[in-house]
């Protein structure tokens, strides 16, 4: 499931996982949406999405370690 959240193929190398994680954080970070002036509902969605991204990354890196 974590691989699906990050949009990676199973067995992706750690560097690819980190790169994808950083890209997704940059895209979905709530501060970016606040700065763009989007509605509060969109900021909340971005916050929840970022939480899922962080959880997925943590699970993948635990297994890789």
């Amino acid at each position: 499931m974590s691989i699906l959240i990050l949009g990676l193929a199973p067995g992706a190398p750690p560097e690819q996982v980190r790169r994808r994680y950083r890209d997704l954080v940059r895209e979905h970070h709530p501060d970016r949406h606040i700065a763009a002036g989007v509605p509060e509902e969109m900021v909340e969605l971005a916050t929840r999405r970022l939480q899922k991204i962080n959880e997925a990354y943590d699970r993948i890196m635990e297994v890789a370690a």
Side-chain angles (χ1 to χ4, degrees), residues 15-58:
E15 182 53 40
Q16 184 180 10
V17 173
R18 279 189 287 277
R19 194 171 342 134
R20 180 66 177 150
Y21 169 74
R22 285 192 301 260
D23 290 344
L24 288 171
V25 167
R26 208 172 297 120
E27 179 181 342
H28 294 284
H29 200 284
D31 290 347
R32 181 175 186 178
H33 294 286
I34 291 168
V38 299
E40 183 64 31
E41 297 84 27
M42 296 300 292
V43 173
E44 290 174 19
L45 286 172
T47 301
R48 286 195 298 271
R49 176 74 175 142
L50 185 59
Q51 181 180 5
K52 296 283 186 192
I53 291 166
N54 286 329
E55 291 170 359
Y57 178 76
D58 289 343

